[in-house]
Amino acid sequence: MTAGRHAARAMAVADDPEARFRRLPAALRRWTPSALWRRLRLARRRGRWMAENAAACAPYAKPAAADCPAAGPILAIGDFSGDNGISRAALYEHARLEAEARAAGLGPVERLDLTDPALPRHPDPRADGAPVARLYLLSAPDTYARALALVPPARIARARRTGLWVWETPVLGRDWHFAFDVVHEIWTPSAYSRQAIADAAPPGLEIALRPHAPQLPAGTLPPDRGALRAAIRARWGVPEDAFLGLAVMDIRSCPARKNPWAHVAAWAAAFGGRADRVLILKLRLSKRTAIVRRELEEMIAAGAGGSPSIRLVEEFLPEAEMTALQAGADVYLSLHRAEGYGLNIHECLALGTPVVATDWSANAEYAPAYAGYHPVPYRLVPHRDWTGHYPDRDFVWAEADIAAAAETLQDLAAQKEAGKGAGKEAREDTPRRAGDLPGGDGKAA
């Protein structure tokens, strides 16, 4: 082991850096009176939400499969204009459905956007529209009440329904169980997610593995990767020769799953406060989880000397700029505790950006096919989450080995300095499978 690796192990905190914020006195900042009141009411509120969703969807119970027409109009409903991974996955799937429909000589796939303000919330049941033969619900089941209400009931009364479900823990939440009565089959992008769904599903329900098919928006990236990296660094004020890391996470509901504390700890353990080693940690926070920003800022001040080597970014980025940042980074870091798929991981690998990620859950299935994947060992630990996001809490998830992640980051940075690159120019080593970036059978809208 090199001196640098010894230093990384010496600097690395315990592999659960969040633990300090779960203990007093820091925990008092999380457990505000409003947070305590919310947790006390959560079980009752969750029961009410489950009952309301089940009641709203009961009129849309699936018809018998034998009563569904063999051919006819195709309709997809999803949150296509959102700015999260669920929305990107819905766009990718709609593009793939359209390509499959064209190949089969079928008509176009009609699309309804859950967040389109022009759509009526309660359409006229007498509205025109041919009865739908195939209905694809490309959003989570907890949106089904809104999704189904976008269509006159008669249009989908006999439609064969397919739901695209992604679940990120080993135990499917009870609040999705009502939707088993709505769909004839479930598509899910990972075997890990499929197992969680299958364990809860009634006998006979079809559950098919259908990995996501990310697509690169046309014209997003310039052919010169060197110019792209220079532009990215200029955009974010990063030294041109710096080793640039990227981590992206939506922690509005459950910060513990994405584990941002581990990202800060690993980067600080690997590089301290070096100005030529910069991590952009892009976050989406809610009012309830905003305390995490303060916790991360404290870790950065303590572990990286307060330098700008770790930057917390909450700015919204358009799709093209986000793709450029993914492609322009030297490494993508994901020390998550569980992933139902890990779309950012897949997108970065397919773009040729090396990925250092916890080698557990969905990404452990597809990522090893890429030369740029650097798995991080882990240990399984009981689930803990102060937000109470998951209704079923008796499961385990992964705690990444922060010291091992730091060593890998050091190796990748050293390779770049030595002129070997970190996998950017070796794009011929990146798998080329149908649907993977940058080519494939569709495109993101």
Side-chain angles (χ1 to χ4, degrees), residues 33-346:
S34 62
L36 285 168
W37 179 237
R38 178 186 176 277
R39 284 301 300 270
L40 287 172
R41 295 182 299 150
L42 187 56
R44 179 173 293 182
R45 293 175 68 189
R46 181 172 277 132
R48 186 179 74 248
W49 296 332
M50 291 166 61
E52 289 173 350
N53 274 330
C57 291
Y60 298 94
K62 61 190 175 189
D67 293 336
C68 299
I74 305 170
L75 172 64
I77 306 177
D79 182 10
F80 297 108
S81 59
D83 55 357
N84 54 35
I86 295 173
S87 298
R88 298 204 311 280
L91 287 166
Y92 294 148
E93 193 55 55
H94 179 262
R96 180 159 56 173
L97 287 170
E98 284 198 314
E100 292 171 349
R102 286 194 300 270
L106 303 176
V109 179
E110 182 183 351
R111 188 169 93 180
L112 291 180
D113 191 339
L114 275 171
T115 51
D116 185 349
L119 287 174
R121 297 297 94 181
H122 302 285
D124 185 345
R126 299 164 298 176
D128 293 336
V132 172
R134 294 298 305 251
L135 173 65
Y136 295 94
L137 295 164
L138 306 182
S139 58
D142 53 14
T143 69
Y144 279 9
R146 284 193 296 128
L148 295 169
L150 294 177
V151 192
R155 282 203 72 198
I156 57 174
R158 296 179 58 207
R160 178 173 174 81
R161 291 92 172 271
T162 299
L164 177 63
W165 295 19
V166 185
W167 190 258
E168 58 267 15
T169 76
V171 180
L172 183 72
R174 296 187 305 272
D175 45 358
W176 282 20
H177 288 198
F178 77 92
F180 289 137
D181 294 331
V182 176
V183 296
H184 295 91
E185 66 176 342
I186 295 169
W187 288 348
T188 191
S190 67
Y192 169 84
S193 178
R194 180 173 61 180
Q195 186 61 56
I197 298 168
D199 287 344
L205 185 67
E206 298 178 41
I207 306 171
L209 181 62
R210 187 171 170 97
H212 291 321
Q215 303 298 318
L216 179 65
T220 297
L221 299 179
D224 184 350
R225 286 302 180 93
L228 173 65
R229 290 194 288 274
I232 288 295
R233 283 156 175 74
R235 162 71 172 83
W236 295 97
V238 176
E240 188 172 343
D241 61 346
F243 181 75
L244 178 60
L246 173 66
V248 180
M249 59 191 71
D250 186 334
I251 56 174
R252 290 175 293 178
S253 57
C254 182
R257 184 175 69 84
K258 292 293 189 178
N259 201 6
W261 308 272
H263 294 69
V264 171
W267 199 267
F271 305 122
R274 289 185 58 171
D276 62 344
R277 304 286 189 265
V278 177
L279 173 66
I280 292 177
L281 181 50
K282 188 179 181 304
L283 304 169
R284 294 194 71 190
L285 295 155
S286 64
K287 182 178 180 180
R288 179 161 50 94
T289 62
I291 184 60
V292 175
R293 183 196 307 110
R294 179 176 173 182
E295 294 173 354
L296 298 177
E297 288 170 347
E298 290 179 3
M299 290 183 66
I300 292 168
S307 83
S309 61
I310 302 175
R311 304 182 187 180
L312 305 181
V313 174
E314 297 179 58
E315 176 184 348
F316 168 76
L317 298 181
E319 180 184 21
E321 190 167 346
M322 189 67 243
T323 302
L325 185 57
Q326 289 175 323
D330 292 304
V331 66
Y332 184 81
L333 184 62
S334 181
L335 301 182
H336 58 81
R337 290 186 169 118
E339 284 287 5
Y341 192 74
L343 196 54
N344 274 293
I345 294 173
H346 191 173

